Tab-separated table of all heavy atoms in Angstrom:
chain	number	residue	atom	x	y	z
A	2	GLU	N	0.818	-1.206	0.000
A	2	GLU	CA	0.000	0.000	0.000
A	2	GLU	C	0.857	1.263	0.000
A	2	GLU	O	1.671	1.464	0.906
A	2	GLU	CB	-0.915	0.011	1.227
A	2	GLU	CG	-2.069	-0.961	1.139
A	2	GLU	CD	-2.992	-0.842	2.339
A	2	GLU	OE1	-2.616	-1.337	3.414
A	2	GLU	OE2	-4.078	-0.268	2.198
A	3	LYS	N	0.653	2.080	-1.011
A	3	LYS	CA	1.264	3.404	-1.006
A	3	LYS	C	0.301	4.352	-0.307
A	3	LYS	O	-0.907	4.348	-0.579
A	3	LYS	CB	1.541	3.908	-2.419
A	3	LYS	CG	2.056	5.347	-2.408
A	3	LYS	CD	2.358	5.920	-3.768
A	3	LYS	CE	2.806	7.365	-3.626
A	3	LYS	NZ	3.155	8.011	-4.900
A	4	ILE	N	0.831	5.176	0.574
A	4	ILE	CA	0.005	6.116	1.327
A	4	ILE	C	0.538	7.525	1.116
A	4	ILE	O	1.748	7.764	1.222
A	4	ILE	CB	-0.001	5.775	2.830
A	4	ILE	CG1	-0.632	4.396	3.042
A	4	ILE	CG2	-0.753	6.833	3.626
A	4	ILE	CD1	-0.666	3.937	4.483
A	5	VAL	N	-0.357	8.447	0.796
A	5	VAL	CA	0.004	9.858	0.676
A	5	VAL	C	-0.768	10.633	1.732
A	5	VAL	O	-1.992	10.515	1.824
A	5	VAL	CB	-0.303	10.408	-0.726
A	5	VAL	CG1	0.004	11.909	-0.778
A	5	VAL	CG2	0.507	9.670	-1.787
A	6	VAL	N	-0.044	11.395	2.518
A	6	VAL	CA	-0.635	12.210	3.568
A	6	VAL	C	-0.494	13.673	3.176
A	6	VAL	O	0.623	14.172	3.007
A	6	VAL	CB	0.051	11.970	4.934
A	6	VAL	CG1	-0.578	12.840	6.009
A	6	VAL	CG2	-0.038	10.492	5.322
A	7	ARG	N	-1.607	14.362	2.982
A	7	ARG	CA	-1.607	15.784	2.648
A	7	ARG	C	-1.686	16.594	3.946
A	7	ARG	O	-2.575	16.379	4.765
A	7	ARG	CB	-2.796	16.116	1.743
A	7	ARG	CG	-3.103	17.595	1.540
A	7	ARG	CD	-2.008	18.348	0.829
A	7	ARG	NE	-1.694	17.851	-0.488
A	7	ARG	CZ	-2.295	18.257	-1.600
A	7	ARG	NH1	-3.261	19.160	-1.543
A	7	ARG	NH2	-1.925	17.764	-2.765
A	8	VAL	N	-0.734	17.496	4.124
A	8	VAL	CA	-0.699	18.351	5.310
A	8	VAL	C	-1.480	19.620	4.999
A	8	VAL	O	-1.112	20.389	4.108
A	8	VAL	CB	0.752	18.701	5.708
A	8	VAL	CG1	0.765	19.553	6.971
A	8	VAL	CG2	1.568	17.438	5.906
A	9	LEU	N	-2.562	19.843	5.723
A	9	LEU	CA	-3.437	20.991	5.484
A	9	LEU	C	-3.230	22.019	6.583
A	9	LEU	O	-3.362	21.717	7.767
A	9	LEU	CB	-4.900	20.543	5.457
A	9	LEU	CG	-5.220	19.441	4.439
A	9	LEU	CD1	-6.646	18.963	4.617
A	9	LEU	CD2	-4.997	19.940	3.029
A	10	SER	N	-2.909	23.218	6.189
A	10	SER	CA	-2.668	24.274	7.168
A	10	SER	C	-3.967	24.677	7.856
A	10	SER	O	-5.006	24.839	7.219
A	10	SER	CB	-2.053	25.498	6.482
A	10	SER	OG	-1.953	26.582	7.380
A	11	THR	N	-3.903	24.816	9.166
A	11	THR	CA	-5.064	25.294	9.927
A	11	THR	C	-4.829	26.710	10.444
A	11	THR	O	-5.594	27.210	11.254
A	11	THR	CB	-5.353	24.356	11.118
A	11	THR	OG1	-4.173	24.269	11.941
A	11	THR	CG2	-5.717	22.965	10.636
A	12	ASP	N	-3.753	27.332	9.957
A	12	ASP	CA	-3.402	28.676	10.412
A	12	ASP	C	-4.154	29.709	9.582
A	12	ASP	O	-3.751	30.053	8.475
A	12	ASP	CB	-1.895	28.884	10.303
A	12	ASP	CG	-1.439	30.199	10.926
A	12	ASP	OD1	-2.320	30.965	11.392
A	12	ASP	OD2	-0.230	30.460	10.959
A	13	LEU	N	-5.262	30.210	10.121
A	13	LEU	CA	-6.067	31.180	9.384
A	13	LEU	C	-5.314	32.491	9.172
A	13	LEU	O	-5.628	33.266	8.268
A	13	LEU	CB	-7.382	31.444	10.125
A	13	LEU	CG	-8.343	30.251	10.244
A	13	LEU	CD1	-9.614	30.677	10.964
A	13	LEU	CD2	-8.678	29.670	8.882
A	14	ALA	N	-4.297	32.740	10.013
A	14	ALA	CA	-3.530	33.985	9.865
A	14	ALA	C	-2.781	34.022	8.540
A	14	ALA	O	-2.470	35.093	8.019
A	14	ALA	CB	-2.539	34.123	11.029
A	15	LYS	N	-2.487	32.830	7.976
A	15	LYS	CA	-1.776	32.779	6.701
A	15	LYS	C	-2.709	32.983	5.517
A	15	LYS	O	-2.252	33.112	4.385
A	15	LYS	CB	-1.054	31.436	6.567
A	15	LYS	CG	0.103	31.275	7.546
A	15	LYS	CD	0.826	29.963	7.329
A	15	LYS	CE	2.001	29.822	8.282
A	15	LYS	NZ	2.712	28.532	8.089
A	16	LEU	N	-4.013	32.979	5.783
A	16	LEU	CA	-4.973	33.154	4.703
A	16	LEU	C	-5.221	34.637	4.453
A	16	LEU	O	-6.309	35.150	4.609
A	16	LEU	CB	-6.282	32.443	5.035
A	16	LEU	CG	-6.236	30.916	5.026
A	16	LEU	CD1	-7.589	30.344	5.374
A	16	LEU	CD2	-5.778	30.387	3.671
A	17	ASN	N	-4.155	35.342	4.088
A	17	ASN	CA	-4.313	36.740	3.700
A	17	ASN	C	-3.576	36.959	2.385
A	17	ASN	O	-2.638	36.223	2.042
A	17	ASN	CB	-3.813	37.680	4.793
A	17	ASN	CG	-2.325	37.577	5.022
A	17	ASN	OD1	-1.532	38.042	4.223
A	17	ASN	ND2	-1.928	36.944	6.132
A	18	LEU	N	-4.010	37.958	1.651
A	18	LEU	CA	-3.506	38.153	0.294
A	18	LEU	C	-2.030	38.521	0.268
A	18	LEU	O	-1.300	38.130	-0.644
A	18	LEU	CB	-4.351	39.218	-0.407
A	18	LEU	CG	-5.852	38.892	-0.507
A	18	LEU	CD1	-6.600	40.015	-1.203
A	18	LEU	CD2	-6.080	37.566	-1.234
A	19	GLU	N	-1.571	39.283	1.259
A	19	GLU	CA	-0.160	39.659	1.296
A	19	GLU	C	0.718	38.434	1.489
A	19	GLU	O	1.776	38.304	0.867
A	19	GLU	CB	0.109	40.668	2.415
A	19	GLU	CG	-0.502	42.039	2.194
A	19	GLU	CD	-1.961	42.105	2.642
A	19	GLU	OE1	-2.490	41.071	3.120
A	19	GLU	OE2	-2.569	43.178	2.513
A	20	HIS	N	0.294	37.531	2.349
A	20	HIS	CA	1.084	36.323	2.599
A	20	HIS	C	1.215	35.478	1.338
A	20	HIS	O	2.248	34.840	1.112
A	20	HIS	CB	0.426	35.495	3.715
A	20	HIS	CG	1.152	34.222	4.032
A	20	HIS	ND1	2.248	34.177	4.866
A	20	HIS	CD2	0.943	32.939	3.616
A	20	HIS	CE1	2.684	32.931	4.949
A	20	HIS	NE2	1.913	32.164	4.210
A	21	LEU	N	0.182	35.486	0.495
A	21	LEU	CA	0.212	34.699	-0.734
A	21	LEU	C	1.048	35.350	-1.826
A	21	LEU	O	1.418	34.684	-2.788
A	21	LEU	CB	-1.211	34.468	-1.242
A	21	LEU	CG	-2.136	33.685	-0.297
A	21	LEU	CD1	-3.526	33.578	-0.903
A	21	LEU	CD2	-1.571	32.309	-0.003
A	22	GLY	N	1.341	36.655	-1.688
A	22	GLY	CA	2.202	37.317	-2.652
A	22	GLY	C	1.540	38.362	-3.518
A	22	GLY	O	2.155	38.885	-4.454
A	23	TYR	N	0.278	38.712	-3.250
A	23	TYR	CA	-0.392	39.762	-4.029
A	23	TYR	C	0.234	41.113	-3.728
A	23	TYR	O	0.395	41.489	-2.561
A	23	TYR	CB	-1.881	39.821	-3.678
A	23	TYR	CG	-2.717	38.706	-4.235
A	23	TYR	CD1	-2.842	37.500	-3.546
A	23	TYR	CD2	-3.394	38.844	-5.445
A	23	TYR	CE1	-3.616	36.458	-4.045
A	23	TYR	CE2	-4.167	37.810	-5.946
A	23	TYR	CZ	-4.274	36.624	-5.240
A	23	TYR	OH	-5.051	35.600	-5.738
A	24	ASN	N	0.585	41.873	-4.785
A	24	ASN	CA	1.049	43.239	-4.555
A	24	ASN	C	-0.153	44.163	-4.357
A	24	ASN	O	-1.302	43.736	-4.469
A	24	ASN	CB	1.946	43.722	-5.709
A	24	ASN	CG	1.219	43.743	-7.053
A	24	ASN	OD1	0.030	44.036	-7.128
A	24	ASN	ND2	1.948	43.422	-8.119
A	25	HIS	N	0.110	45.419	-4.074
A	25	HIS	CA	-0.978	46.337	-3.720
A	25	HIS	C	-1.982	46.486	-4.860
A	25	HIS	O	-3.203	46.445	-4.631
A	25	HIS	CB	-0.402	47.708	-3.353
A	25	HIS	CG	-1.454	48.719	-3.010
A	25	HIS	ND1	-2.167	48.693	-1.830
A	25	HIS	CD2	-1.945	49.786	-3.721
A	25	HIS	CE1	-3.025	49.685	-1.805
A	25	HIS	NE2	-2.917	50.365	-2.935
A	26	ALA	N	-1.484	46.649	-6.098
A	26	ALA	CA	-2.387	46.866	-7.235
A	26	ALA	C	-3.265	45.644	-7.479
A	26	ALA	O	-4.483	45.761	-7.691
A	26	ALA	CB	-1.577	47.200	-8.489
A	27	ASP	N	-2.661	44.446	-7.444
A	27	ASP	CA	-3.436	43.223	-7.663
A	27	ASP	C	-4.438	42.997	-6.536
A	27	ASP	O	-5.567	42.552	-6.769
A	27	ASP	CB	-2.502	42.016	-7.777
A	27	ASP	CG	-1.741	41.994	-9.087
A	27	ASP	OD1	-2.163	42.695	-10.029
A	27	ASP	OD2	-0.729	41.276	-9.178
A	28	LYS	N	-4.017	43.304	-5.325
A	28	LYS	CA	-4.921	43.144	-4.184
A	28	LYS	C	-6.155	44.025	-4.338
A	28	LYS	O	-7.283	43.591	-4.080
A	28	LYS	CB	-4.190	43.478	-2.887
A	28	LYS	CG	-5.070	43.377	-1.646
A	28	LYS	CD	-4.305	43.790	-0.395
A	28	LYS	CE	-5.232	43.814	0.816
A	28	LYS	NZ	-4.533	44.233	2.042
């Protein structure tokens, strides 16, 4: 059996546009 474990972030603080890399104009 091959097993793949996906690690899902539960840190809601990282769910912001700046953290993802959006610049001011794109945001």
Side-chain angles (χ1 to χ4, degrees):
E2 286 184 284
K3 175 180 178 179
I4 297 179
V5 176
V6 180
R7 168 64 59 89
V8 182
L9 304 173
S10 173
T11 57
D12 187 357
L13 295 182
K15 292 183 179 179
L16 290 180
N17 66 74
L18 301 179
E19 291 84 0
H20 179 82
L21 298 178
Y23 286 86
N24 61 35
H25 179 73
D27 287 342
K28 178 183 175 181

